[in-house]
Amino acid sequence: MTEPLPFAPDEAKSVVLDVKWVCLGSRVAGVVTVPHLPGADAPRLVEDRHRWRLPAELIANGAPGGDWADDPAIGCWAEAAHPQQDAVRVVEAGAAGRGLVSVAVTRRRLVVMFPRKLLADAPDTRPRGMFGRPKGNRTDWAEGDIPHIQFSVPQDRIAGYHTALVGRSIPAPRFLAVTFTDGSVLFIRCDKPDPHVEKIRALTT
């Protein structure tokens, strides 16, 4: 039986940003947490090993003089006043993917997802080769994969999307920034955010 897609028919169009093999961090009321680790309620995966790059010790310790945006090991960052704000919840949900996460924006919502096949209790649907051994990689995205949605934020809780240049490097690193109505901000590392911002605005307005 074919598994149903976890999206409504009017969410067929989306903008997807991969947050792969990098860690996620946050600064909440001045307290830095990086990398975020999967929470106690995170689903069990076929491979529980964290596959993200580690940030510089200076940044992980929240020491003065370090800027998270200049560390390419950090792919997603939340700025918030308290831990229940949406940007932080997105980062916490992303940590559940252990380095293989995508953020998708549809006309309805922003979604944090990873391949459903990563779940420990998901059936292994890979084609079989010689001696019945499965072919292909179960620990990366592949064409036709069904996504598992770990968390989503409806568009009515999102104030806007824009390009942000953050950090002390020259040129400054580029990010796609998501501002939530609760005042928190999510930064997603992206080499060319402008086209994505244009597509998202066209999709959500």
Side-chain angles (χ1 to χ4, degrees):
M1 184 175 67
T2 303
E3 291 186 84
L5 287 169
F7 293 103
D10 63 353
E11 293 182 289
K13 292 183 179 180
S14 65
V15 176
V16 179
L17 296 167
D18 290 330
V19 188
K20 290 177 58 175
W21 321 135
V22 287
C23 66
L24 301 89
S26 68
R27 180 163 38 220
V28 181
V31 177
V32 169
T33 302
V34 63
H36 269 262
L37 300 177
D41 58 347
R44 192 165 61 89
L45 305 188
V46 294
E47 185 176 318
D48 284 335
R49 178 171 58 94
H50 305 149
R51 292 171 291 159
W52 52 60
R53 298 164 61 187
L54 291 175
E57 187 176 347
L58 176 74
I59 295 170
N61 292 337
D67 195 314
W68 66 266
D70 295 321
D71 191 333
I74 301 172
C76 200
W77 186 269
E79 291 281 350
H82 61 79
Q84 293 305 310
Q85 288 182 290
D86 280 327
V88 184
R89 296 177 70 190
V90 167
V91 165
E92 290 178 339
R98 294 168 174 81
L100 186 61
V101 181
S102 294
V103 175
V105 180
T106 75
R107 67 181 303 272
R108 287 174 176 254
R109 54 187 171 159
L110 179 147
V111 171
V112 181
M113 62 185 188
F114 53 83
R116 189 178 294 176
K117 66 185 180 184
L118 263 62
L119 297 172
D121 58 359
D124 191 344
T125 57
R126 289 176 294 174
R128 302 285 161 167
M130 188 176 296
F131 308 117
R133 293 176 180 173
K135 298 167 63 177
N137 190 348
R138 196 179 175 187
T139 56
D140 200 350
W141 283 106
E143 186 176 355
D145 278 347
I146 303 294
H148 163 77
I149 294 178
Q150 182 67 16
F151 182 66
S152 64
V153 183
Q155 289 293 347
D156 62 7
R157 297 214 311 256
I158 298 174
Y161 302 85
H162 63 278
T163 294
L165 276 64
V166 188
R168 305 180 184 184
S169 299
I170 299 174
R174 291 176 172 267
F175 295 83
L176 191 154
V178 185
T179 303
F180 297 92
T181 57
D182 62 12
S184 62
V185 183
L186 177 73
F187 297 91
I188 305 169
R189 193 177 295 274
C190 181
D191 288 339
K192 297 179 179 179
D194 292 350
H196 293 297
V197 170
E198 291 179 11
K199 290 177 182 177
I200 290 171
R201 288 175 176 172
L203 197 63
T204 58
T205 55

